[in-house]
Amino acid sequence: MDACAALAESIERLAALGYSDGRFLKELGRAAGVRRGPMWLFDAASGGRNRIRGRGFDRAVDDDTDGQARHFAGTIAVAARLGGRLTRWLVVQVLRDAPDSADGRLSDEAIEFVRLVRTGGLQQADAADWVRDRLCRAAAT
């Protein structure tokens, strides 16, 4: 299954619901099994759940597992609540994802996604195409 394309389609459907940017980002975290309420921290700390399994991510952000959609959405869920700086620290220090690894680069993309949505640099309506263009294998070939 092309999980990157499925993730982009999920983002497209979510964007059509008209949520605030903050809610949009938190709802996107649900694609990683991270709930919106107070239990989000437990979900994120446990690694969430692989709701969108498969491949399809560009080689630069692909760690050869079926969990990159979960990784991206889960990092968004954390960054939406804790901010980019603390999330980046957690990724490097706690998860031990080196910045130059596929997971480190994917985390950076997720943190950038949150920053862009929050600042208005990326509109929800364009978010799915952003994912397709930057993260999906088909766009990179």
Side-chain angles (χ1 to χ4, degrees):
M1 174 179 173
D2 188 336
C4 194
L7 175 65
E9 289 172 18
S10 292
I11 291 169
E12 204 164 59
R13 286 190 302 273
L14 190 57
L17 297 176
Y19 290 133
S20 69
D21 288 340
R23 174 120 187 236
F24 169 74
L25 294 168
K26 290 174 184 173
E27 290 288 341
L28 181 50
R30 294 180 71 191
V34 178
R35 292 172 278 189
R36 282 191 316 115
M39 299 301 284
W40 79 269
L41 183 59
F42 297 103
D43 296 337
S46 70
R49 288 189 315 262
N50 246 351
R51 291 189 168 184
I52 303 174
R53 296 176 193 266
R55 305 290 175 93
F57 285 79
D58 180 63
R59 208 169 303 139
V61 295
D62 186 357
D63 70 351
D64 293 325
T65 69
D66 288 342
Q68 294 306 85
R70 177 195 49 80
H71 184 107
F72 182 74
T75 304
I76 286 172
V78 174
R81 291 166 173 90
L82 301 180
R85 187 171 286 157
L86 180 54
T87 301
R88 185 169 280 112
W89 182 86
L90 289 168
V91 165
V92 173
Q93 297 300 319
V94 177
L95 298 178
R96 302 281 189 220
D97 288 341
D100 63 342
S101 69
D103 282 343
R105 287 187 292 273
L106 187 60
S107 293
D108 284 344
E109 292 287 0
I111 291 166
E112 177 68 358
F113 182 94
V114 171
R115 185 192 70 76
L116 288 169
V117 169
R118 281 189 164 160
T119 63
L122 177 62
Q123 299 300 310
Q124 291 180 37
D126 300 323
D129 286 337
W130 187 95
V131 166
R132 288 182 188 104
D133 293 343
R134 292 186 60 147
L135 303 180
C136 294
R137 185 179 303 137
T141 58

